[in-house]
Amino acid sequence: MLRVLAIQVLENRVVFVTDPELVICAVAGDPRAFTELYVRYVKRITSLAGRMLHHGSECDEVIQEIFLQVHLSLPRFEARSSFYTWIYRLAKNVV
């Protein structure tokens, strides 16, 4: 059963307390939650992909694929590790 989460709205961005709470909301269908996860992690994942690929032209497509896989895989996130560790492993599998 999903619980209602308290949120703050700061400068037109919804800020949830933790990544696992964002995942719960994103899985429940709240697009703001997935957007917040994207905003939190896109720079780090872009940097990772850039280091792994060494090809700037492929990087944008790979980032899209990584975040598509993140979106599709969110229901399987179990919070046994940090969200960044989970998304990092997923990104390594995509690249």
Side-chain angles (χ1 to χ4, degrees):
M1 180 173 180
L2 297 176
R3 62 188 174 99
V4 176
L5 301 173
I7 60 173
Q8 298 175 343
V9 178
L10 301 172
E11 297 176 14
N12 296 322
R13 280 184 54 204
V14 176
V15 181
F16 293 79
V17 177
T18 66
D19 290 343
E21 288 176 327
L22 281 172
V23 170
I24 290 169
C25 290
V27 169
D30 186 341
R32 298 172 304 169
F34 186 78
T35 298
E36 182 62 29
L37 287 169
Y38 178 84
V39 168
R40 287 184 185 186
Y41 292 100
V42 69
K43 288 181 183 176
R44 291 172 76 183
I45 296 303
T46 299
S47 177
L48 170 69
R51 286 191 310 270
M52 293 173 65
L53 291 173
H54 305 290
H55 301 290
S57 62
E58 295 176 12
C59 197
D60 289 341
E61 291 178 26
V62 170
I63 297 304
Q64 285 182 336
E65 181 62 27
I66 290 168
F67 279 96
L68 173 62
Q69 292 304 315
V70 167
H71 189 274
L72 296 173
S73 301
L74 278 178
R76 295 193 301 270
F77 176 69
E78 297 177 356
R80 288 185 281 168
S81 59
S82 73
F83 187 75
Y84 179 72
T85 299
W86 182 79
I87 195 174
Y88 174 90
R89 279 186 253 147
L90 197 148
K92 294 274 283 186
N93 288 336
V94 169
V95 176

